[in-house]
Amino acid sequence: MDLVFFGIQGSGKGTQAKTLAAELNYYIFEAGGELRKIKASGSELGDLIKNYIDNGELVPFEIIMKVVKTAIEAVPADQQILFDGIPRDSDQSKAFDEILADSGREFRCVHILLDKDEALKRIKGRAEIEGRADDRDLEKVLRRMDLFFEKTMPVIEKYETEGKVIDIDGKGSVEEIYERIKSAVS
Ligand code: ADP
């Protein structure tokens, strides 16, 4: 079964997703990372999405859905995928469900829970290390968090009603959280 990771910015979602994918042999699809690669390529598409990413806004639906669909099609059917950063709103969720069903894939979700104040503290630390423009600007971080509550939470709630979501307590050390996730999914 595939996995879909959810969590507020700063919850440690990306770090945990990468570690778990490497250990349990999932192909990882990191939506933000894929989009940043396109942005850095200097292509026309890269220029088009640059402003969305730098301002903390979601890139247009067609673009992200095409990127994820292309990635899924390139992965063998028996290779499990870990999705990080998609779906982020209900339109993406509907399309995502369809693409997965059409490919004969099933998924469950991991939601790393952390309160907003704790998440903000962590992002301040990470901005220094990773140098991401959208992390250094508090206004952009808050905008992304607002989008998480407004757009992504309803998606998580929908998957919850379908019994697909495993909640993970996001407080504690990276190692502690990792162990919680690993024992919940394996
Ligand atoms: P974060 O979750 O901390 O905001 P990401 O690396 O996941 O960081 O995403 C960075 C940016 O990439 C987002 O602010 C948005 O502009 C874009 N992005 C990532 N995932 C999606 C998505 N599923 N749909 C639209 N835009 C996305």
Side-chain angles (χ1 to χ4, degrees):
M1 252 213 234
D2 292 340
L3 281 178
V4 177
F5 266 44
F6 290 109
I8 190 171
Q9 287 72 17
S11 62
K13 171 174 64 74
T15 308
Q16 299 292 348
K18 280 191 197 76
T19 315
L20 192 80
E23 189 180 341
L24 301 185
N25 196 29
Y26 283 85
Y27 173 89
I28 188 163
F29 178 84
E30 194 207 345
E34 291 300 322
L35 292 170
R36 279 190 290 278
K37 265 191 243 163
I38 298 171
K39 175 187 141 178
S41 73
S43 65
E44 215 170 299
L45 185 61
D47 290 343
L48 182 68
I49 65 175
K50 181 180 183 313
N51 286 336
Y52 292 97
I53 298 175
D54 291 350
N55 291 319
E57 301 295 338
L58 296 183
V59 308
F61 173 86
E62 286 75 18
I63 297 175
I64 180 65
M65 292 320 298
K66 191 171 174 207
V67 174
V68 70
K69 190 164 189 275
T70 307
I72 292 170
E73 283 167 0
V75 174
D78 61 355
Q79 167 66 59
Q80 302 185 107
I81 305 177
L82 192 164
F83 296 94
D84 170 9
I86 187 151
R88 270 193 210 234
D89 65 15
S90 72
D91 285 348
Q92 289 185 16
S93 161
K94 283 183 204 125
F96 181 82
D97 289 2
E98 256 178 54
I99 296 171
L100 264 79
D102 289 350
S103 325
R105 309 188 72 99
E106 287 184 280
F107 66 94
R108 53 192 173 146
C109 311
V110 167
H111 181 198
I112 305 177
L113 293 129
L114 191 70
D115 67 59
K116 190 174 165 181
D117 290 344
E118 184 64 29
L120 271 171
K121 270 191 230 153
R122 290 200 195 160
I123 289 203
K124 282 180 192 146
R126 154 179 118 180
E128 308 297 321
I129 301 164
E130 293 185 7
R132 260 174 63 178
D134 61 346
D135 275 355
R136 259 176 286 154
D137 184 339
L138 180 63
E139 199 190 316
K140 307 284 161 55
V141 173
L142 291 172
R143 173 67 186 148
R144 279 148 57 214
M145 287 182 166
D146 283 348
L147 283 174
F148 174 77
F149 288 115
E150 266 170 48
K151 308 265 185 189
T152 312
M153 274 308 284
V155 173
I156 301 172
E157 282 158 11
K158 182 194 77 171
Y159 290 143
E160 248 154 21
T161 65
E162 297 172 2
K164 288 195 168 87
V165 182
I166 306 167
D167 282 338
I168 299 290
D169 177 5
K171 285 191 294 289
S173 69
V174 173
E175 293 76 20
E176 280 164 349
I177 301 161
Y178 184 68
E179 286 309 318
R180 282 176 208 146
I181 299 173
K182 206 174 121 182
S183 60
V185 302
S186 46

